[in-house]
Amino acid sequence: MASGGNPQFRYTQPPSKVIHVRNLPWECTDEELTELGSLFGKVVNTKCNVGANRNQAFIEFADQNQAIAMISYYASSAEPAQVRGKNVYLQYSNRQEIVNSKNTGDAAGNVLLVTMEGVLPDAVSIDVLHLDCLSNL
């Protein structure tokens, strides 16, 4: 359900600090999303290239009022929100934060890499690793 006759916006969700962005250019970057949102407040997280056509994304602000400012600005502006010269469509997300399901190199995971120098491969067992790891705590 569109509001105010502006096809760039759909007001089907209550305000959220996460903005859903649609109609993005192919392979949009986190930097482009941060640039789009940074005029309105602190962008704390982005998630690019989602959706079936990978032309959607999310921008999460530090505060919900910053997201409201972005939506309000573009809803009343004669100039549409754009990324690389392409008009993009904005709406509040139905989520209050972005949850990234993929682990990155900086995220905690379930893999522990252990290097033991000066030990023959046959001498290493689970028990040896367990004792070695416990002794280094």
Side-chain angles (χ1 to χ4, degrees):
M1 173 178 194
S3 175
N6 189 339
Q8 187 177 12
F9 298 93
R10 284 195 270 170
Y11 295 105
T12 57
Q13 298 294 332
S16 164
K17 65 181 183 176
V18 179
I19 302 292
H20 178 215
V21 186
R22 298 177 293 118
N23 198 43
L24 286 162
W26 181 251
E27 295 186 353
C28 180
T29 65
D30 290 317
E31 291 79 19
E32 289 171 314
L33 292 174
T34 299
E35 182 179 337
L36 179 65
S38 65
L39 298 172
F40 305 97
K42 183 177 181 184
V43 174
V44 295
N45 200 358
T46 60
K47 188 170 187 177
C48 294
N49 304 312
V50 298
N53 295 325
R54 303 185 57 78
N55 67 342
Q56 299 178 42
F58 296 95
I59 301 172
E60 180 181 343
F61 288 94
D63 182 74
Q64 181 174 305
N65 290 328
Q66 297 166 345
I68 291 170
M70 182 177 186
I71 292 288
S72 298
Y73 174 81
Y74 284 115
S76 62
S77 174
E79 295 294 321
Q82 293 187 340
V83 173
R84 279 191 246 146
K86 185 175 183 180
N87 291 0
V88 296
Y89 304 112
L90 309 172
Q91 67 187 53
Y92 296 114
S93 172
N94 60 355
R95 302 190 182 249
Q96 290 298 318
E97 66 180 347
I98 296 173
V99 177
N100 290 315
S101 59
K102 294 181 181 175
N103 283 341
T104 64
D106 297 332
N110 294 327
V111 176
L112 174 64
L113 178 62
V114 177
T115 302
M116 298 179 74
E117 295 179 0
V119 178
L120 295 173
D122 295 343
V124 178
S125 68
I126 283 288
D127 294 328
V128 170
L129 288 174
H130 181 79
L131 288 173
D132 187 53
C133 290
L134 287 177
S135 68
N136 289 321
L137 290 179

